[in-house]
Structure formats: structure tokens, C-alpha cells
Amino acid sequence: MEGQGVTADPQLQQFIEVESQKQRFQQLVHQMTEVCWEKCMDKPGPKLDSKTETCFVNCVERFIDTSQFILNRLEQTQRTRGSSSESMSD
Amino acid sequence: MDSFGSDFSSGAAGSGKMDTGMIMEQVKVQIAVANAQELLQRMTDKCFKKCIGKPGGTLDNSEQKCIAMCMDRYMDTWNTVSKAYNSRLQRERARI
């Protein structure tokens, strides 16, 4: 194997894929932390109480549910609507 | 000793491998730095909103204490969210 094009290196390719996936995860954690902080945190205290912690866990689950719901419904409306520009039901 | 010699040799394969390794390490560091910066930026934003009312001439003691607590709670939140998201991903993968 020539060390000519670094991009031809399969080791580097895999590295890029793995790191990209890690970054997508990190980015979502950043985003959900921000959103859920707004939803669940009142006044920051000396520790995280269980009610607030439960809220965070629920928040993450519902956020992902929302994301999936949106994708599924969009896919549905694309399918039933076809290519015509009818108004959206509901 | 042998690997050292081959790395510094003029062989294309040897020096190519060393460059790739260095690149990967540098990229990892840059990614870590970017993540830390992102975390700090959002934490600063959130804690400023929570702890600073009408901005005065300095940060008084209560504001400083609030910010310190807020930082710790934000980290707790980040860890909780990270764990919850990871669990959800595992569950989704197990379904497939």
C-alpha cells in the first residue's frame, strides 16, 4: 500500500466514520442538555434531586420519540400525498 | 527499536503509517477541545440566565455561589442526558 493519498488509507476512513458517529452523539447530548435544562431545572441547588433527574430522563426519551414521530409522519404524508400539492390533513 | 527505524526510513509505507497515526491523534484532540468549548459556551449561557439578575458593577458573593452550583448541576445534567441517550440507543439497536 502506498502512503501517497492519505484518504486512500482504510484505517483513516474507518477512523473518520467512528469519530463522526461519536460527534453526532455528542452534538445531540449538547442539544438535549440545553433543551431539557430549560424544561426541568428550576433553581440550581447543591445537588440534582430525583424528581429533576427523572424529568431529564423523560425529556431525553420524549425528545427522541418526537424526532421519530416527525420523521414517520413526514414519510407518511409524502407517501399518501404523492407529488400533488394538496393541503395537509389535520 | 526496529519500528523506530522503519518509521524514519524513507519507505513510503512506513512514513505513511506514521502520518496517519499522528493525524488521528491530532484530530481526536481537536474534537475534544471543540466539545469542551461547546459545553463551556452553553453552560455559561445557562448559568448567566439563572444566576445574574440585573447586572451590577461586579459579581457579588451570592452570584458567584450560584454560578458555581449551576456549573456542577449543568455537568450532572449533561451526564444524566448522556447516559439516558446511550441507554435509548442500546434499546433501539437491540430491537433491530
Side-chain angles (χ1 to χ4, degrees), chain B residues 6-52:
Chain B
S6 61
D7 281 339
F8 285 99
S9 75
S10 56
S15 62
K17 228 186 271 170
M18 183 163 173
D19 289 337
T20 302
M22 275 168 60
I23 288 170
M24 296 198 298
E25 284 314 304
Q26 283 179 10
V27 167
K28 275 193 195 163
V29 167
Q30 284 175 8
I31 288 174
V33 167
N35 271 322
Q37 281 178 345
E38 177 124 33
L39 185 65
L40 241 49
Q41 196 181 329
R42 294 180 192 235
M43 182 192 282
T44 302
D45 184 76
K46 293 303 169 200
C47 294
F48 184 84
K49 287 194 173 115
K50 286 275 184 213
C51 294
I52 312 298

Side-chain angles (χ1 to χ4, degrees), chain A residues 9 15 19 23 25-30 34 37-38 41-42 44-46 56 61 64-65 68, chain B residues 20 24 28 31 35 38-39 42 46 50 69 73-74 76-78 81-82 85 88-89 91-92:
Chain A
D9 186 345
F15 170 78
E19 287 303 315
Q23 257 317 98
F25 177 87
Q26 291 281 62
Q27 271 308 117
L28 218 54
V29 173
H30 281 309
E34 182 159 11
W37 176 273
E38 290 296 331
M41 184 57 82
D42 305 311
F56 288 137
E61 296 283 342
I64 296 173
D65 288 343
Q68 287 179 345
Chain B
T20 302
M24 296 198 298
K28 275 193 195 163
I31 288 174
N35 271 322
E38 177 124 33
L39 185 65
R42 294 180 192 235
K46 293 303 169 200
K50 286 275 184 213
M69 270 201 305
R73 297 300 73 73
Y74 195 84
D76 291 342
T77 306
W78 201 95
V81 166
S82 179
Y85 183 38
R88 175 59 181 259
L89 286 179
R91 238 177 300 138
E92 297 286 330

